[in-house]
Amino acid sequence: MTLSEEQHVFRASLRRFCEERIAPNAAEVDRRGEYPWDNFHACVEMGLTGLGMPEAYGGAGADHVTQAIMAEEIARVCASTSLIVLISKLGMIPVINWGSEALRERYLPAVASGESQASYCLSEADAGSDVAAMRTRAVRDGDHYVISGTKHWITNAGISDLYTVFAKTDPAAGHRGISAFVVERDWGVRVAKLEDKMGIKGSPTGEVVFDKVRVPVGNRIGEEGEGFRIAMATLDRSRPTVGAQALGIGQGALDQGVAYMKERHAFGRPIAELQGLQFMVADMAMRLEAARGLVHRACATIDEGDPRGDLSSLGAMAKCFASDVAMDVTTNAVQLLGGNGYTKDFPVERMMRDAKITQIYEGTNQIQRVVIAKKLFS
């Protein structure tokens, strides 16, 4: 699809911002493995934490294609920082779409302003792809629910002060017994462990424990038993921006590879003149552009309200294809730089490690293929 003039201007402005404020910190963020607070504050100053929040609650109300541009441009220089804005939006998608007006008024303005950050708590140790196998319980006790259980692989664990949690209110009902809640950290949420990961090291991932945490009934999102539907519909809306993140990582690696080829000499000339390597970067560029088109189409479908019921499969395609392309492109970028690409002196090594997670989180790419096939045979 064709971008508007405003979107082109936004991309150019955001690229300057990312090159000046985010890129200089990227290697150190990865090396230290600590949350990039300086980058977070820069994103808040730029208004990026509110970009995807509705205008009525202090956000910019940007369309999803524009949000994808943001995810791509930040991830192009620092994948860890791109998660700063993506994960809070993911945590608030259920509130935006299915939450009560009271929940929206209470939490969305704080996330939009950067005062609060949010996490999405769905996966468990034995309930990742098989969400219905979750064991976390929410038991009604008067005007509260008491939530007990442990969630795994939670992005922004320990940083977020808001956690959108999925728990079983009726264990006998399978996936129809799952409900969703907004839980505040200060109510007793505890982080038991932070993972030591291959990539996106500046974005904490952890094990979050809910030990008889009391949550007001008013913090339930939707009705009892609607949690599974809300969780799946949320992922339909967020997977295209994971595709955009993957796209940005791949684009950053391609840009680094092309720049290196112009400077590196072999056999008395720049290696950019070697046709074998030219064909490699041409294929990388073509696949990235194809991924960009698919990501933007899926995002546009969200903005259109999914009139043909294509969002689930399109979102899966965008996430799956773009992340597979990112892994391939970053691996080839390392190859283009040779021994230099295998060292931490050049960013393609980090980009290759960062790209891998995009094939795994928000549903593995094997699960995405199941979603796509299900739509084809329905």
Side-chain angles (χ1 to χ4, degrees):
M1 59 174 291
T2 303
L3 298 183
S4 68
E5 182 61 29
E6 290 80 5
Q7 287 168 330
H8 281 296
V9 171
F10 175 70
R11 183 190 289 279
S13 174
L14 188 58
R15 179 162 295 192
R16 288 192 299 272
F17 164 79
C18 290
E19 292 285 357
E20 294 172 3
R21 301 288 301 276
I22 306 299
N25 305 325
E28 185 68 6
V29 166
D30 179 72
R31 187 187 70 81
R32 293 172 62 89
E34 297 177 356
Y35 187 81
W37 282 106
D38 287 348
N39 289 358
F40 169 73
H41 293 306
C43 288
V44 171
E45 290 173 21
M46 189 68 173
L48 301 182
T49 52
L51 189 73
M53 295 294 123
E55 289 184 90
Y57 306 97
D63 60 83
H64 284 78
V65 175
T66 300
Q67 293 176 54
I69 293 170
M70 174 185 66
E72 178 186 346
E73 289 300 324
I74 301 175
R76 177 178 167 271
V77 298
C78 182
S80 292
T81 301
S82 69
L83 276 174
I84 285 176
V85 287
L86 292 183
I87 197 60
S88 283
K89 174 64 188 299
L90 171 62
M92 287 295 102
I93 287 175
V95 176
I96 292 170
N97 290 281
W98 301 281
S100 66
E101 184 60 25
L103 282 180
R104 292 172 185 158
E105 290 178 351
R106 181 168 184 174
Y107 296 118
L108 297 185
V111 173
S113 68
E115 177 185 346
S116 289
Q117 296 188 59
S119 289
Y120 187 79
C121 299
L122 181 63
S123 295
E124 299 183 8
D126 297 313
S129 298
D130 183 12
V131 172
M134 72 171 58
R135 296 182 180 180
T136 299
R137 289 288 314 276
V139 178
R140 182 75 178 259
D141 180 23
D143 58 358
H144 284 76
Y145 286 89
V146 179
I147 298 181
S148 298
T150 301
K151 296 293 183 176
H152 288 248
W153 315 115
I154 305 307
T155 303
N156 233 32
I159 299 296
S160 293
D161 56 306
L162 304 175
Y163 294 84
T164 296
V165 182
F166 295 85
K168 283 192 173 177
T169 45
D170 184 358
H175 72 273
R176 294 182 178 85
I178 298 172
S179 301
F181 306 86
V182 179
V183 182
E184 297 185 19
R185 177 179 55 201
D186 294 344
W187 294 344
V189 179
R190 180 168 60 87
V191 177
K193 174 189 176 184
L194 291 176
E195 305 294 343
D196 185 6
K197 308 189 301 292
M198 173 193 293
I200 56 167
K201 289 178 173 289
S203 174
T205 303
E207 182 180 311
V208 179
V209 177
F210 303 87
D211 185 8
K212 297 181 180 179
V213 177
R214 294 183 65 83
V215 180
V217 170
N219 275 53
R220 188 185 66 219
I221 304 170
E223 300 299 323
E224 278 197 10
E226 292 185 341
F228 182 81
R229 179 181 66 84
I230 291 171
M232 296 302 102
T234 295
L235 294 176
D236 287 344
R237 288 162 171 78
S238 66
R239 282 171 177 156
T241 50
V242 173
Q245 181 196 35
L247 174 62
I249 297 170
Q251 187 64 56
L254 175 60
D255 292 346
Q256 291 289 332
V258 169
Y260 181 85
M261 288 172 63
K262 291 177 180 179
E263 298 296 327
R264 174 71 170 175
H265 283 68
F267 309 108
R269 56 178 175 160
I271 63 173
E273 295 180 10
L274 299 175
Q275 191 176 63
L277 300 185
Q278 289 177 349
F279 284 3
M280 282 182 66
V281 296
D283 285 340
M284 292 158 72
M286 281 191 292
R287 297 189 68 205
L288 285 169
E289 196 58 44
R292 185 172 290 109
L294 188 52
V295 165
H296 288 182
R297 182 184 173 195
C299 288
T301 298
I302 301 173
D303 294 325
E304 293 165 359
D306 192 20
R308 293 170 293 279
D310 294 333
L311 178 57
S312 183
S313 60
L314 277 175
M317 289 178 185
K319 188 267 187 190
C320 185
F321 185 72
S323 59
D324 281 350
V325 167
M327 195 69 242
D328 184 58
V329 166
T330 55
T331 301
N332 282 336
V334 170
Q335 189 71 20
L336 288 171
L337 271 67
N340 284 328
Y342 201 65
T343 72
K344 294 184 182 294
D345 292 335
F346 292 82
V348 292
E349 175 271 343
R350 164 172 49 86
M351 292 168 174
M352 181 178 173
R353 288 186 286 106
D354 288 344
K356 185 59 194 175
I357 191 59
T358 64
Q359 294 180 303
I360 298 172
Y361 59 17
E362 294 205 27
T364 66
N365 282 6
Q366 287 69 37
I367 289 295
Q368 305 314 311
R369 288 173 168 88
V370 170
V371 172
I372 296 163
K374 184 178 180 180
K375 173 67 175 179
L376 291 172
F377 290 105
S378 63

